[in-house]
Amino acid sequence: MSQTPVGQFGLLAQRRFAPFFWTQFLGAANDNLFKFAFTVLVTYQLQVSWLEPKMAGLVIGALFILPFVLVSATAGQWADKYDKAVIMRSVKLLEVGIMLVAAVGFWYQWVPVLLACVFLMGLHSTLFGPVKYAYLPQHLSERELTGGNGMVEMGTFVAILLGNVGGGLLMSIAGTGTHWVAISCLVVALVGWGASKAIPASPSADANLKLNWNPVSETWRNLKLAHDYPSVFRSLLGISWMWFFGAVFLSQFPSFARDVLGGNEQVASLLLVVFSVGIAVGSLLCETLSHRHVEIGLVPIGAVGMTVFAWDLYLATQGMSHNGAAFLSVGQFVAQSAHWRVMADLALLAFSAGLYSVPMYALIQLRAKPSHRARIIAANNILNALFMIVSSLAAGALLGAGFSIPEVFAATAVLNIIVVGYVFWLMPEYIFRLLMLFLTRLVYRVKVRGDEHLPTDGAAILVCNHVSFVDAVILGIVSPRPMVFIMDHRIFKTPVLGWLFKMLKAIPIAPQKEDPQAYEAAFERAKQVLREGELLCLFPEGAITRDGKLQPFKGGIMKILEDAPVPVIPSALHNLWGSSFSRIEGAAMAKPLRRGLFNRVGLVVGDAIEPAEVSPELLQQKVQSLLDEPSP
């Protein structure tokens, strides 16, 4: 964690990430090679009276996720109690055993055996899941966490892509397809086990944890544990909904390709290629768009895209159905222009899902207590499984009621508006971060120097010069974690900004002579924020500058440090004087966009100062020296 942060692709050259990445990549590839080959077998090649082709994807999906409900609680405890590298190697060895059984099932086309192996591969993924996401924050810094999660999500969906394409291609080999699938699944499992042996040690987060073997009570305890972190729990709900949403589409691709688009097995594989590439690109772009921080403002953008493109997919397939003619090959499918719109919708829908999910995963990892992190992730897996089971049941019910597959997609798009809107209502921080992103990417171009001094955890105070009405917004978007601001009570009367800061739980402060009660309440609240381990930001000048120069610092910070001695971090905003939100014209917005769009502004962050050394004069000197530095 003390290493210099590297870019997301640079992580692939480091032992702390590369063996883990390839282990989870090969596991996801094998899951999907096995499941898709089995789905093709019972959809296109075998006629099983008790398993109709249109229900095969739903049944296989439900069996796969059932262990997540039954075993996730125990898996989370193991991941917190034991070394994560040891657990991963053990799970990969289990995968080798499962694939030996599955090889026999494919060789002789024994459907009941393969259904049992679906359940066992679900168990394999259940055991691996909490370790997978708890491992990352143990080995990556905050500045690497979004990129690392993006790589994992990208790798997962590229693995899904390769597994599904490989399964489809192997199953298309006449006469011996199932034999090749049996061999391939076993080989991939063995290579994955080999990769896991290079994963570095990942010590226990809570070696004294007493295991609870009752899955029901432990599941309930994990959900309650997650609920203790409101922002984390609401993000869990958001991620679980994404899996509900995605499961509807992924489970229906073989039937959608055959019955709606009239395509063969390779067309079903093509749809998965398009979907996987879309989500991989969206996941990778999260690091660039978030400037290598955990940026949840991307989540609403992804949510809107999921609905828009899912609905357009429904519109694009109106009037399409297989008319009984020969199934289309990939070449014949792409030769029809109407199908390009279908593929574009799938790609953009998946791209949006990548933007939606990666920041949520990173937020959970960053804000969950390290000793409980794996159990929080286990709670996420439980919720994911429940949502996916409900997704399978709901999709099956709609299909049974006479809905077409495109109509099921449309219903999911409409439901997405309701569910995601509810999550954002519960946690408006997502919307606020989007507004901040809009301001700092369109009105301003923010450059930062010294942001490694911004703490990712623990109590601290950030002090900054006060140049404009949007100083807090810019500081908030740059910070790797939420900040609580102490601000002049008059700004809360400003339209829009006042509402924004109230929702962000900023602390209003009034002069002692004007309102002694509000003055004291502000300091008590500030001390409580620090006692809770949060990051506090204040502007020691006490008001926005009217001439662009640094004003004398007031002594209020000393009152806070008396009861809450924490490190103090000086910072300085550059080039905001003269912008629309400064008082260069006497009042903010007297000349809207007076410097146009994309104004370059900077933030310079200095080294932390120990509380015993702090004085208003020293802080003013430190901030002035940062102002005298060249703008980033």
Side-chain angles (χ1 to χ4, degrees):
M1 295 291 290
S2 60
Q3 302 181 38
T4 301
V6 300
Q8 57 194 140
F9 290 105
L11 291 171
L12 288 175
Q14 302 202 0
R15 184 170 176 243
R16 62 191 171 117
F17 184 79
F20 159 78
F21 175 84
W22 292 115
T23 298
Q24 67 87 30
F25 178 91
L26 290 165
N30 215 18
D31 275 346
N32 288 277
L33 169 61
F34 166 70
K35 286 192 299 179
F36 195 72
F38 183 30
T39 302
V40 169
L41 178 67
V42 294
T43 302
Y44 286 94
Q45 298 182 10
L46 285 183
Q47 298 298 319
V48 183
S49 60
W50 47 271
L51 187 61
E52 295 181 29
K54 71 176 183 178
M55 299 300 293
L58 294 173
V59 171
I60 291 170
L63 269 177
F64 185 80
I65 61 180
L66 183 58
F68 284 89
V69 177
L70 301 177
V71 189
S72 282
T74 303
Q77 292 180 88
W78 286 350
D80 275 336
K81 184 174 177 64
Y82 301 114
D83 187 299
K84 297 171 184 61
V86 173
I87 293 175
M88 284 190 266
R89 285 192 281 272
S90 301
V91 171
K92 299 310 289 183
L93 192 57
L94 171 65
E95 181 187 352
V96 173
I98 296 169
M99 286 299 102
L100 278 170
V101 178
V104 175
F106 272 116
W107 201 275
Y108 294 103
Q109 299 185 14
W110 290 342
V111 173
V113 170
L114 292 172
L115 285 172
C117 288
V118 169
F119 178 84
L120 291 174
M121 284 303 287
L123 175 63
H124 152 272
S125 296
T126 301
L127 297 174
F128 195 84
V131 185
K132 170 181 172 180
Y133 287 107
Y135 176 91
L136 288 175
Q138 197 168 353
H139 291 269
L140 305 184
S141 70
E142 184 276 334
R143 288 174 58 79
E144 295 170 325
L145 202 51
T146 293
N149 273 282
M151 288 295 292
V152 169
E153 292 302 296
M154 177 277 296
T156 297
F157 281 92
V158 170
I160 290 172
L161 157 66
L162 294 177
N164 283 296
V165 170
L169 291 175
L170 290 173
M171 287 301 295
S172 67
I173 300 174
T176 58
T178 53
H179 296 173
W180 284 108
V181 170
I183 295 168
S184 299
C185 286
L186 186 55
V187 169
V188 173
L190 288 167
V191 174
W193 177 56
S196 72
K197 297 177 78 171
I199 296 173
S202 303
S204 163
D206 187 0
N208 297 320
L209 176 66
K210 185 177 180 181
L211 297 178
N212 175 13
W213 295 97
N214 184 327
V216 177
S217 64
E218 184 61 25
T219 295
W220 180 248
R221 188 165 70 178
N222 282 352
L223 292 173
K224 288 177 66 178
L225 185 65
H227 194 266
D228 290 340
Y229 302 84
S231 64
V232 171
F233 185 70
R234 290 161 187 170
S235 297
L236 297 184
L237 293 176
I239 289 174
S240 295
W241 169 253
M242 190 274 292
W243 283 105
F244 178 106
F245 185 94
V248 171
F249 291 85
L250 290 171
S251 66
Q252 292 302 316
F253 274 169
S255 297
F256 179 61
R258 188 190 68 172
D259 299 335
V260 178
L261 302 177
N264 62 12
E265 298 99 317
Q266 284 73 41
V267 172
S269 296
L270 175 64
L271 298 184
L272 285 160
V273 169
V274 170
F275 192 88
S276 300
V277 168
I279 205 161
V281 172
S283 298
L284 287 177
L285 276 180
C286 283
E287 184 184 62
T288 300
L289 295 173
S290 64
H291 288 212
R292 296 180 67 182
H293 281 301
V294 177
E295 181 47 73
I296 60 175
L298 298 175
V299 174
I301 299 173
V304 170
M306 288 162 64
T307 286
V308 168
F309 297 113
W311 182 260
D312 193 67
L313 180 61
Y314 159 70
L315 297 178
T317 53
Q318 290 299 289
M320 291 186 183
S321 64
H322 183 230
N323 57 13
F327 290 119
L328 300 175
S329 66
V330 169
Q332 293 168 325
F333 177 79
V334 298
Q336 298 183 22
S337 59
H339 294 153
W340 282 93
R341 180 179 171 187
V342 172
M343 291 188 289
D345 282 330
L346 282 175
L348 291 169
L349 183 158
F351 174 85
S352 301
L355 293 183
Y356 177 91
S357 62
V358 168
M360 281 191 171
Y361 275 118
L363 179 142
I364 291 168
Q365 293 163 340
L366 185 65
R367 296 191 187 175
K369 188 176 179 181
S371 61
H372 296 76
R373 189 179 282 135
R375 279 168 285 170
I376 295 289
I377 293 165
N380 179 41
N381 289 340
I382 295 165
L383 288 172
N384 289 350
L386 291 172
F387 274 63
M388 291 170 73
I389 289 171
V390 172
S391 168
S392 296
L393 294 174
L398 290 175
L399 292 170
F403 278 60
S404 66
I405 293 176
E407 286 170 346
V408 172
F409 293 167
T412 307
V414 173
L415 196 56
N416 188 57
I417 299 173
I418 299 169
V419 173
V420 176
Y422 178 66
V423 171
F424 293 156
W425 178 76
L426 287 176
M427 195 175 173
E429 184 183 351
Y430 287 107
I431 303 299
F432 297 150
R433 295 291 296 194
L434 175 61
L435 294 174
M436 290 178 181
L437 270 178
F438 174 80
L439 179 67
T440 56
R441 301 291 189 267
L442 184 62
V443 180
Y444 299 114
R445 299 285 298 275
V446 182
K447 299 292 183 181
V448 185
R449 183 168 63 246
D451 55 339
E452 67 274 10
H453 300 307
L454 293 171
T456 57
D457 54 42
I461 299 175
L462 181 75
V463 297
C464 191
N465 57 321
H466 208 358
V467 193
S468 75
F469 284 93
V470 294
D471 295 349
V473 173
I474 291 173
L475 292 171
I477 205 70
V478 168
S479 174
R481 54 193 278 216
M483 283 194 288
V484 178
F485 294 89
I486 299 181
M487 307 179 70
D488 190 309
H489 69 112
R490 288 169 292 187
I491 201 171
F492 289 81
K493 300 175 183 177
T494 306
V496 182
L497 285 176
W499 170 79
L500 175 65
F501 293 133
K502 285 177 185 175
M503 296 299 292
L504 288 176
K505 299 180 181 179
I507 302 171
I509 188 168
Q512 188 174 21
K513 292 181 180 178
E514 180 181 328
D515 190 340
Q517 187 175 358
Y519 176 82
E520 291 297 331
F523 283 103
E524 286 305 313
R525 174 68 185 119
K527 295 171 187 177
Q528 182 61 31
V529 164
L530 295 174
R531 283 193 287 267
E532 292 172 358
E534 297 188 58
L535 180 60
L536 180 70
C537 179
L538 54 86
F539 303 98
E541 295 166 275
I544 296 172
T545 180
R546 293 185 177 275
D547 59 7
K549 297 179 180 178
L550 191 65
Q551 307 302 305
F553 279 21
K554 297 182 179 180
I557 189 170
M558 306 308 296
K559 185 178 177 69
I560 297 172
L561 291 174
E562 286 176 5
D563 296 327
V566 299
V568 180
I569 304 150
S571 63
L573 286 164
H574 287 246
N575 298 334
L576 269 171
W577 178 250
S579 70
S580 303
F581 294 99
S582 69
R583 284 176 164 166
I584 194 169
E585 302 288 345
M589 296 301 291
K591 290 183 179 180
L593 298 178
R594 66 187 308 274
R595 295 198 315 202
L597 298 175
F598 307 115
N599 289 275
R600 184 166 179 171
V601 301
L603 174 69
V604 182
V605 185
D607 292 321
I609 304 170
E610 290 302 314
E613 302 173 12
V614 172
S615 68
E617 295 76 21
L618 176 64
L619 288 177
Q620 183 171 346
Q621 178 186 338
K622 292 286 187 181
V623 172
Q624 184 63 61
S625 67
L626 296 174
L627 281 171
D628 292 339
E629 293 184 15
S631 180

